[in-house]
DNA sequence: GTTGACCTTCTCGTTACGTAAACCTTTATT
DNA sequence: AATAAAGGTTTACGTAACGAGAAGGTCAAC
């Protein structure tokens, strides 16, 4: 089955302009161009577009989608599993929001009182969730931005001790990473220690640990330019190395 | 309780820049400016910000939020009820999406086959939903854009006859509106007939009718510039008049 | 053979902020 | 008391992901 631009646009309910734009930025190229210069899409492109829509649904930036999908190691099934997890989390956050609206209505009727913090709780959760959807933006911010850290800590209700442990773990990782890179081997003891600490650190920030999520994050380390820049600043090639180490770690 | 800009920003998990921007566009003004030119916010502003966040969560444009909230007839409780309905719909759409992802995984494993249409079904629903969230954009498009109409009809699985009835109703409304405006009275028989037809027409496009939703839409007719432009094109003051007529109609 | 629906490229506009510069004020620490 | 750090101000330019048009070529049908 072949599609002209507007046929495909209708099928997927996006605009033709969107498809032209995706062509322009090399996110989705037509299968071929016919003799009059028209874009012609085939089955492969239909499937790729669906994938793109899944990412878009999770508010992943187009730039990041390009990096992820053009990566030769991109694993469609793994990625879909990831999407599924995120959507399920999104649903539970939506439920929280619904609750907040219901409480707000009740509070307006004078049936109960809400603190100012409660009024925004659901939005905060959503924020973190969205950031995680952007493949780890939140995580990067935790490292890079003390202010964000502070506020996150507060509403995550961590004890000061837990929080200190988390911060220390983060620092350890940054300190060990250059040494591990020096070994040149992502399977080396040092590299695996970094990966292990990274897992520990993750459990502080994510509600539940899974190998899939950990690997998904590793992919993002390379895909997201800002995240990549952060780890590469610690040491050259840091992001790629960490990713490899994590993949080996999760396969043990 | 008084808040400086960053205190409020932390409370609501938005950036200080966002609050300055909201000030600039007159969406949320500080309670006062202190002697050094600092913005100081109070309880009223906290509550207003929460309201704004609810709208934002539903992807309502800031311009529209301004119109809605600055309207002296703005009814907070009614608005919250509206939000609640939309969020509940959103949740059910999310469930559809989850289903689609699950099916896609199964289809990749070769356990089942999906048609190209099925691959995008959940996104289409989402699109319509999002449009409804933008307070009726979809509805306006149904009137204005035959192409969109066609595709909507198809995936909504309307019979041709149902579809014809809907289109005719829409045309009737547009034809009757100028005459109703001429009466000058939104409570006149003609105006109420328009409102009644409008309700009928709504039931074709909305999953369930409620007075609240109908009134919410009426508000939007005045708030959203594009929607307003559409009805005003039929006759001057058309949007406002229709809104009044609907409010009277829903209070009968 | 012309009308209308589709296609093309090009360019400019939009929304809701992010980010940086240049500077002033408040708070904390030496 | 002096100074550094944290937080406040305005101004101004940048950005993502298209939407909306202009100006023109192509194709099916009547």
């Amino acid at each position: 089955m072949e599609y002209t631009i507007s046929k495909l646009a209708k099928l997927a309910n996006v605009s033709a302009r969107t498809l032209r734009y995706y062509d322009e930025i090399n996110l989705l190229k037509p299968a071929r161009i016919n003799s009059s210069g028209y874009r012609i899409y085939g089955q492969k492109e239909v499937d790729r577009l669906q994938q793109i829509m899944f990412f878009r649904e999770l508010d992943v930036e187009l730039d990041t989608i390009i990096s992820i999908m053009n990566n030769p190691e991109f694993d469609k099934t793994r990625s879909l599993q990831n999407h599924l997890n995120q959507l399920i989390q999104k649903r539970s956050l939506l439920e929280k929001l619904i609750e907040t609206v219901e409480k707000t209505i009740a509070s307006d009727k004078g049936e109960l009182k809400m603190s100012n913090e409660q009024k925004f709780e659901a939005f905060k959760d959503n924020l973190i969730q969205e950031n995680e959807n952007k493949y780890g933006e939140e995580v990067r911010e935790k490292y890079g931005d003390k202010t964000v850290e502070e506020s996150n800590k507060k509403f995550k209700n961590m004890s000061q001790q837990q929080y200190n442990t988390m911060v220390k773990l983060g620092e350890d990782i940054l300190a060990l990473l250059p040494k591990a890179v020096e070994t040149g081997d992502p399977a080396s003891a040092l590299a695996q220690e970094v990966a292990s600490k990274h897992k520990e650190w993750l459990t502080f920030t994510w509600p539940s640990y899974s190998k899939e999520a950990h690997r998904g994050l590793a992919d993002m380390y390379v895909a997201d330019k800002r995240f990549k820049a952060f780890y590469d600043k610690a040491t050259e090639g840091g992001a790629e190395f960490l990713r490899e180490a994590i993949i080996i770690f999760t396969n043990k």
Side-chain angles (χ1 to χ4, degrees), chain A residues 22 42 44 79 84 102 108 112 114 127 133 137 156 169 187-188 201 217 237:
Chain A
Y22 288 177
K44 245 177 60 185
S79 167
L84 196 55
E102 279 167 349
D108 277 14
L112 68 88
M114 281 179 96
L127 195 70
N133 285 346
E137 192 166 319
K156 281 220 165 188
L169 265 171
S188 68
W201 175 79
L217 192 66

Side-chain angles (χ1 to χ4, degrees), chain A residues 68-107:
Chain A
I68 294 174
M69 292 189 66
N70 286 350
N71 187 328
E73 286 172 62
F74 172 66
D75 181 337
K76 194 180 167 191
T77 310
R78 213 169 80 198
S79 167
L80 283 172
Q81 280 292 352
N82 237 309
H83 285 325
L84 196 55
N85 290 340
Q86 312 239 17
L87 289 175
I88 288 166
Q89 276 191 43
K90 208 171 168 178
R91 182 177 53 185
S92 80
L93 289 175
L94 196 53
E95 261 144 29
K96 252 198 179 171
L97 237 172
I98 289 174
E99 218 180 283
T100 302
V101 176
E102 279 167 349
K103 274 189 192 161
T104 306
I105 293 173
S107 127

Side-chain angles (χ1 to χ4, degrees), chain A residues 109-247:
Chain A
K109 285 187 191 153
E111 287 165 6
L112 68 88
K113 287 220 167 177
M114 281 179 96
S115 74
N116 281 343
E117 282 74 20
Q118 282 175 319
K119 286 177 187 167
F120 294 98
E121 241 175 46
F123 296 114
K124 287 183 186 175
D125 275 358
N126 258 329
L127 195 70
I128 286 231
Q129 174 58 16
E130 273 171 30
N131 280 337
E132 281 183 4
N133 285 346
K134 280 170 196 160
Y135 270 64
E137 192 166 319
E138 181 234 3
V139 185
R140 178 183 46 73
E141 287 191 344
K142 280 228 167 64
Y143 265 119
D145 188 336
K146 292 245 164 154
T147 323
V148 176
E149 265 180 344
E150 272 303 320
S151 85
N152 282 353
K153 177 193 77 176
K154 220 173 70 187
F155 86 80
K156 281 220 165 188
N157 270 335
M158 277 186 195
S159 78
Q160 189 61 44
Q161 211 186 0
Q162 280 180 310
Y163 182 70
N164 289 340
T165 312
M166 193 192 93
V167 171
K168 183 155 184 341
L169 265 171
E171 283 165 1
D172 281 3
I173 293 171
L174 273 191
L176 281 177
L177 187 58
K179 293 179 190 165
V181 171
E182 265 177 46
T183 71
D185 178 15
S188 68
L190 205 54
Q192 288 305 297
E193 198 193 325
V194 172
S196 166
K197 274 188 193 297
H198 189 263
K199 173 192 165 170
E200 269 190 82
W201 175 79
L202 247 192
T203 57
F204 276 105
T205 56
W206 279 10
S208 67
Y209 177 83
S210 79
K211 289 186 174 191
E212 288 70 32
H214 200 180
R215 266 190 243 119
L217 192 66
D219 284 347
M220 187 281 312
Y221 279 23
V222 177
D224 187 295
K225 57 184 179 233
R226 288 163 302 184
F227 212 144
K228 187 172 176 329
F230 176 73
Y231 278 103
D232 283 352
K233 216 167 72 182
T235 183
E236 226 197 287
E240 276 90 354
F241 188 87
L242 183 53
R243 172 169 169 273
E244 306 256 311
I246 289 172
I247 289 175

